[in-house]
Amino acid sequence: MEGWIWSGVLAALGVAVWLLPAWRLRRALARPLPAASVATIARSLPIYQRMTPELQQQLLRLLQQFLHQKKFIGCEGLEVTEEMRLTIAAQACLLLLNRPSKVFPALHTILVYPGAFLVPRREIDAAGVVTETRQDLLGESWGDGRVVLSWDHVRRGTADWHDGQNVVLHEFAHQLDSESGSTNGAPYLGSQASYRSWSQVLSRDFAALRADAYLRQHSVIDHYGATSPAEFFAVATETFFEKPWQMAERHPELFREFTRYYRVDPRHWQDEPLPAEPIYQDEQAPHPGTVNYGIWR
Ligand SMILES: [Zn+2]
């Protein structure tokens, strides 16, 4: 009889442990965000004010889940503030609106450096000679559940929402890309027809960007996207959210693929820009974000 009782107690404990994370999450989501936090989000995500109330609510809920589940670690003496957590979470969760996906399920930690950080790189040339170098990075996304960011560059990305450069959008696009099992510029799309269409459009526009980069011709999508298909997806994501009007005009099919995938049209959150003088690639700042999965290098 005692054996039965203990089995029952253990089973109940097992169920409790299994249900605990979901219960904690529900409790966290039930607490409304303080007004001061919402004000910080409105500052750190300039397009927030232009969203419908329904989308704003969705974003806040995703953000609360993100903050509940992910751990932030300050590096090189940086103390991670509430403003940093809210800014990074709001911009990352922008990629998840209207989508049934979970909140970056493989991601567990965001490491934040005060500025650009040095990482060791090991390169092997055709002759087999190994060169150890150190590279300055502003962001990095790892398939093992980590994203690394330079706060200085997160802030710069926040200050200008129209330059097509945003290290948070870039690195979290890599996270979405890796959810499909391989980081190759094709996130999880569902149907075979979607993959076919995605592959056709992105391959063509990637090749066109490579040609633009080679010839140093101006393009709406930053030339850094010509590095690899994975970088093309991440950089085009930055363009989609920050320069939607220009992308829709110059890359209509690519823009359509992205509106299908991200399920939002960022043109609703920005005024159509006035026709401007052409900007030449040489005048653009060097692109910050990069990824290190070891498959493109
Ligand atoms: Zn990258």
Side-chain angles (χ1 to χ4, degrees):
M1 186 64 185
E2 274 187 14
W4 281 105
I5 293 169
W6 279 112
S7 298
V9 169
L10 284 173
L13 274 173
V15 170
V17 167
W18 184 59
L19 289 175
L20 195 60
W23 176 76
R24 281 189 174 152
L25 175 61
R26 263 205 311 277
R27 221 169 58 132
L29 293 179
R31 281 194 293 267
L33 272 173
S37 298
V38 179
T40 303
I41 293 161
R43 273 199 311 277
S44 62
L45 188 64
I47 53 176
Y48 177 81
Q49 305 281 20
R50 301 281 296 264
M51 290 180 183
T52 61
E54 192 269 331
L55 268 190
Q56 288 179 340
Q57 283 310 308
Q58 240 194 77
L59 184 73
L60 296 184
R61 195 176 167 81
L62 288 162
L63 172 140
Q64 278 182 294
Q65 186 170 346
F66 187 101
L67 294 180
H68 176 75
Q69 293 175 330
K70 319 300 178 195
K71 187 174 175 186
F72 285 77
I73 297 176
C75 304
E76 290 180 352
L78 180 80
E79 190 186 327
V80 178
T81 63
E82 193 61 6
E83 183 198 356
M84 293 176 189
R85 282 160 40 87
L86 290 166
T87 301
I88 293 167
Q91 294 183 11
C93 290
L94 184 64
L95 304 182
L96 306 178
L97 289 170
N98 289 338
R99 299 174 59 228
S101 58
K102 292 181 179 169
V103 179
F104 303 104
L107 175 77
H108 49 77
T109 307
I110 298 104
L111 296 128
V112 190
Y113 282 81
F117 47 94
L118 277 172
V119 293
R121 285 277 184 265
R122 195 164 191 262
E123 283 170 11
I124 306 172
D125 69 13
V129 177
V130 178
T131 314
E132 304 277 355
T133 57
R134 286 170 79 78
Q135 197 180 351
D136 236 350
L137 296 183
L138 314 184
E140 201 173 28
S141 171
W142 288 80
D144 65 1
R146 289 177 297 147
V147 162
V148 192
L149 295 166
S150 148
W151 172 245
D152 185 29
H153 295 87
V154 173
R155 258 198 337 207
R156 289 191 212 180
T158 303
D160 189 342
W161 197 262
H162 303 284
D163 63 355
Q165 302 212 344
N166 183 300
V167 70
V168 178
L169 297 180
H170 184 103
E171 302 307 339
F172 282 87
H174 281 315
Q175 284 290 309
L176 291 179
D177 192 359
S178 62
E179 282 174 14
S180 62
S182 64
T183 312
N184 55 5
Y188 178 73
L189 297 167
S191 71
Q192 275 200 347
S194 299
Y195 279 107
R196 208 174 307 123
S197 163
W198 183 270
S199 169
Q200 274 170 6
V201 173
L202 270 79
S203 299
R204 190 198 56 205
D205 285 22
F206 173 59
L209 186 65
R210 282 176 76 92
D212 283 346
Y214 181 74
L215 299 170
R216 299 187 68 78
Q217 281 176 345
H218 171 64
S219 54
V220 173
I221 302 169
D222 191 283
H223 286 175
Y224 185 76
T227 317
S228 71
E231 294 305 336
F232 182 74
F233 170 59
V235 174
T237 294
E238 295 173 78
T239 315
F240 177 71
F241 283 100
E242 293 210 352
K243 291 182 165 181
W245 289 95
Q246 297 94 320
M247 187 175 173
E249 189 191 326
R250 304 272 186 89
H251 302 265
E253 287 184 71
L254 183 66
F255 188 78
R256 208 172 307 126
E257 290 294 327
F258 273 59
T259 47
R260 259 190 227 132
Y261 175 65
Y262 282 118
R263 302 189 186 197
V264 289
D265 184 342
R267 288 176 298 183
H268 297 155
W269 309 327
Q270 291 187 22
D271 293 330
E272 187 172 0
L274 297 169
E277 291 291 313
I279 303 164
Y280 296 98
Q281 192 66 29
D282 287 353
E283 297 168 20
Q284 293 185 0
H287 195 278
T290 188
V291 64
N292 176 21
Y293 292 99
I295 56 168
W296 298 108
R297 293 171 189 278

